[in-house]
Amino acid sequence: MTPTTTDAQPDERAERSGHTEPSVRTRGLTRIFGEGDAAVEALKGIDLEIASGELVVILGPSGSGKTTLCNIIGGIDRASDGTVEVAGEDISTEDPGRLSDFRRDHVGFIFQFFNLIPTLTARENVEVIIEMTGRGDKGRVPELLEAVGLGDRVDNFPAQLSGGQQQRVAVARALATDPELLFADEPTGALDLPTGQQILALLQDLNAQGRTVIIVTHNSSVAQIANRVLTLVDGRIESDETNTSPAAAADVTW
Ligand SMILES: Nc1ncnc2c1ncn2[C@@H]1O[C@H](COP(=O)(O)OP(=O)(O)O)[C@@H](O)[C@H]1O
Ligand SMILES: [Mg+2]
């Protein structure tokens, strides 16, 4: 791969990707945890646009603020200061109830350790999200599980599935509400190489179908599959690179 750094302005970038409205826009985004002497400034002023349809990797060492950034854009956490617009909505000023509606309507999350409910089968783990949010169609759950390669595992409990299969359930669950933005925080962190490659291939496919995908990782190899790599260091964006020829997930090793 040959990453090429571009100095394209955000609106230009959005136009080139065929979309004029950025899906994500932050200005002066900061996040401070704790107070006084114990205060930790996890994000120190993030200005960022992500156009819809992009596959962005947020890369950086442990503690650089990746999860914090992802959680704020996804409406799980709140900024201390600055503005965050997602899908045309200013989520930095919203009350918790409205923020929960925002998550239901726009985002799906995939985590490092899958976060499945152990007492529910694969099918039920996906159905529960549809019940909770009132979005999506329970009749489509077998089809969603089939699409992630688990057609024959719908009635298995998480403990009866491998790590890779559990992560596939998590992907199906994230897709259940048909979100326009899909966040994956270290999605391969608990998986071996071949399984990790398969999960990345799945995320690449979902992006090819038009979904905006944001992958958080400390693994620079994973970044090779992205259209764009944002590198975070100590709460700041250190670089923002466009990759004109992303690698296929199967060709990426670590
Ligand atoms: N809930 C929290 N309370 C206190 N400090 C936190 C909290 N979450 C994150 N931090 C701190 O913020 C910084 C960024 O953390 P994080 O976003 O998790 O980094 P990354 O995902 O890149 O490893 C770290 O110094 C971390 O210790
Ligand atoms: Mg993290």
Short mmCIF file of all heavy atoms in Angstrom, two decimals, residues 62-63 65-68 112 185-186 216, ligand 2:
data_model
loop_
_atom_site.label_atom_id
_atom_site.label_comp_id
_atom_site.label_asym_id
_atom_site.label_seq_id
_atom_site.Cartn_x
_atom_site.Cartn_y
_atom_site.Cartn_z
N SER A 62 -1.85 2.81 22.99
CA SER A 62 -2.75 2.68 24.13
C SER A 62 -2.75 3.98 24.94
O SER A 62 -1.70 4.56 25.19
CB SER A 62 -2.26 1.51 24.98
OG SER A 62 -3.04 1.41 26.12
N GLY A 63 -3.92 4.45 25.28
CA GLY A 63 -4.03 5.67 26.09
C GLY A 63 -4.04 6.95 25.28
O GLY A 63 -4.11 8.05 25.85
N GLY A 65 -6.39 8.10 23.36
CA GLY A 65 -7.70 8.75 23.30
C GLY A 65 -8.64 8.16 22.26
O GLY A 65 -9.73 8.70 22.03
N LYS A 66 -8.26 7.05 21.65
CA LYS A 66 -9.07 6.47 20.56
C LYS A 66 -10.47 6.08 21.01
O LYS A 66 -11.46 6.43 20.37
CB LYS A 66 -8.36 5.21 20.00
CG LYS A 66 -6.93 5.44 19.57
CD LYS A 66 -6.31 4.17 19.01
CE LYS A 66 -6.22 3.01 19.97
NZ LYS A 66 -5.30 3.25 21.12
N THR A 67 -10.53 5.33 22.11
CA THR A 67 -11.84 4.87 22.59
C THR A 67 -12.69 6.06 23.02
O THR A 67 -13.89 6.12 22.72
CB THR A 67 -11.65 3.86 23.75
OG1 THR A 67 -11.04 2.69 23.21
CG2 THR A 67 -12.96 3.50 24.41
N THR A 68 -12.06 7.01 23.67
CA THR A 68 -12.79 8.20 24.12
C THR A 68 -13.40 8.93 22.92
O THR A 68 -14.59 9.30 22.94
CB THR A 68 -11.84 9.14 24.88
OG1 THR A 68 -11.26 8.41 25.97
CG2 THR A 68 -12.57 10.35 25.42
N GLN A 112 -14.07 -5.09 21.51
CA GLN A 112 -12.99 -6.07 21.51
C GLN A 112 -13.45 -7.42 22.08
O GLN A 112 -13.14 -8.47 21.53
CB GLN A 112 -11.82 -5.54 22.34
CG GLN A 112 -10.66 -6.50 22.44
CD GLN A 112 -9.45 -5.86 23.10
OE1 GLN A 112 -9.46 -4.68 23.48
NE2 GLN A 112 -8.38 -6.61 23.24
N ASP A 185 -14.36 -0.99 18.00
CA ASP A 185 -13.26 -0.61 18.88
C ASP A 185 -12.38 -1.83 19.15
O ASP A 185 -12.78 -2.73 19.88
CB ASP A 185 -13.82 -0.04 20.19
CG ASP A 185 -12.74 0.63 21.04
OD1 ASP A 185 -11.55 0.49 20.72
OD2 ASP A 185 -13.11 1.29 22.04
N GLU A 186 -11.21 -1.88 18.55
CA GLU A 186 -10.28 -3.01 18.64
C GLU A 186 -10.99 -4.32 18.31
O GLU A 186 -10.91 -5.30 19.08
CB GLU A 186 -9.63 -3.09 20.04
CG GLU A 186 -8.95 -1.81 20.51
CD GLU A 186 -7.51 -1.63 19.98
OE1 GLU A 186 -7.06 -2.47 19.17
OE2 GLU A 186 -6.87 -0.64 20.37
N VAL A 216 -11.29 1.42 15.40
CA VAL A 216 -10.27 1.89 16.33
C VAL A 216 -9.28 0.76 16.57
O VAL A 216 -9.70 -0.38 16.83
CB VAL A 216 -10.94 2.29 17.67
CG1 VAL A 216 -9.90 2.41 18.77
CG2 VAL A 216 -11.72 3.58 17.51
MG MG B 2 -9.21 1.93 23.59
#
